[in-house]
Amino acid sequence: MSFSSCCLKTFTWGGTPTGKETTLAGNNAYVAGDNKDAAVLFIHDLFGWKYSNIRLLADHYAREADVTVYVPDFFGGWVVDWKLLEEDRFEEINLADMAKQNSREIRGPEMVACAKALKGEHGFKRLGAIGFCYGGWAVCHLGSKERGEKLVDAVSMGHPSWLVKDDIANLTVPIQILAPEIDPAFPSELKAYTFETLLKLNLPFDYVHYPGIVHGGLVRGSEKVEKEREAMAAAKNSAVAWFKQQLH
């Protein structure tokens, strides 16, 4: 599997993240919020755990959904070169190697360890997970019957990448899908399969469609484009409402 240039659309939000850096199950992590009972594991997209938009979203979730949000580093310290992004020099980013170094087999166990740590040593009674792009397959991984134990109580994914049909078919927990209309990583056929399969599984789910929005737009859309700004705000509000419902 590989990342495509559609993952590389970016801009910088205003504001400064208000959380702090810590560690979780041996991974560096950003944390926001102070709820002792309910937490959300936020699995970042291609831009990694230090990306300002991700941290600002974590702050919003923590404050508005009354949860403690952890954003671990699941790229082993790799951080994208911002200059290459700003200058549209995408071809200089070795995406194939980056994907190889952060495969399901390598990072999946780290994600499971973080979820176990939050419910175990940290003592959270309720745990959600949210992921965008790269994080999409990952939250399904945490909510899969293949885990053999209940790691999370509910998940949310936005414009997921690397998603396969088994990720949906093996789900055992309520799921929210934040789905831009234009998304080669989550095409219409897979969207339809997701909807139909969740109905058959009889799982609670929330499917939100964003007309005219492209892959990445719910986190990295342009603040100069009104529809994208509206979609980002709406997706944030949907995630907040979802976790309020599922974790409290």
Side-chain angles (χ1 to χ4, degrees):
M1 297 180 180
S2 62
F3 291 104
S4 61
S5 60
C6 66
C7 298
L8 299 171
K9 184 178 182 181
T10 186
F11 80 102
T12 301
W13 276 353
T16 302
T18 58
K20 62 183 181 181
E21 293 189 3
T22 183
T23 59
L24 179 66
N27 293 57
N28 289 325
Y30 176 82
V31 61
D34 58 6
N35 190 304
K36 303 299 183 184
D37 295 321
V40 170
L41 180 59
F42 193 161
I43 302 179
H44 54 72
D45 62 4
L46 173 63
F47 290 87
W49 75 294
K50 290 189 174 183
Y51 187 51
S52 180
N53 290 14
I54 292 294
R55 294 188 173 195
L56 288 168
L57 275 176
D59 290 351
H60 277 289
Y61 299 155
R63 181 171 60 251
E64 297 174 29
D66 187 22
V67 292
T68 300
V69 184
Y70 285 81
V71 188
D73 172 20
F74 289 122
F75 285 167
W78 180 86
V79 178
V80 70
D81 186 335
W82 298 106
K83 185 176 181 180
L84 297 181
L85 295 177
E86 292 166 356
E87 298 178 1
D88 293 338
R89 292 156 55 194
F90 304 138
E91 70 282 355
E92 296 181 41
I93 303 173
N94 191 338
L95 296 179
D97 184 66
M98 181 270 167
K100 181 180 179 181
Q101 295 301 318
N102 298 291
S103 66
R104 289 174 177 247
E105 293 75 18
I106 293 173
R107 302 303 174 191
E110 293 182 11
M111 296 165 184
V112 169
C114 284
K116 287 183 175 180
L118 289 174
K119 275 207 166 178
E121 62 190 75
H122 289 272
F124 289 104
K125 297 176 183 177
R126 301 284 290 175
L127 177 62
I130 188 168
F132 293 89
C133 189
Y134 174 86
W137 72 266
V139 299
C140 292
H141 177 71
L142 294 176
S144 173
K145 64 183 179 183
E146 294 180 339
R147 303 281 68 75
E149 59 184 313
K150 189 174 183 180
L151 297 177
V152 293
D153 298 287
V155 300
S156 175
M157 64 178 182
H159 40 75
S161 295
W162 295 16
L163 197 69
V164 296
K165 289 183 177 180
D166 280 351
D167 292 328
I168 302 301
N170 289 326
L171 278 170
T172 61
V173 298
I175 182 170
Q176 178 183 65
I177 302 100
L178 308 173
E181 175 189 2
I182 306 163
D183 191 348
F186 191 37
S188 57
E189 185 271 338
L190 188 52
K191 288 175 180 174
Y193 175 85
T194 297
F195 193 90
E196 294 166 1
T197 301
L198 291 175
L199 286 175
K200 292 177 183 177
L201 292 174
N202 202 28
L203 286 173
F205 72 94
D206 177 35
Y207 189 101
V208 190
H209 175 69
Y210 297 90
I213 303 303
V214 301
H215 179 93
L218 303 182
V219 175
R220 303 184 299 275
S222 172
E223 60 185 345
K224 298 179 181 179
V225 180
E226 183 178 2
K227 181 177 286 189
E228 288 190 342
R229 290 290 286 176
E230 291 174 349
M232 283 188 293
K236 183 267 293 180
N237 290 339
S238 290
V240 166
W242 179 250
F243 288 126
K244 278 185 175 181
Q245 178 186 30
Q246 298 296 329
L247 302 182
H248 295 296

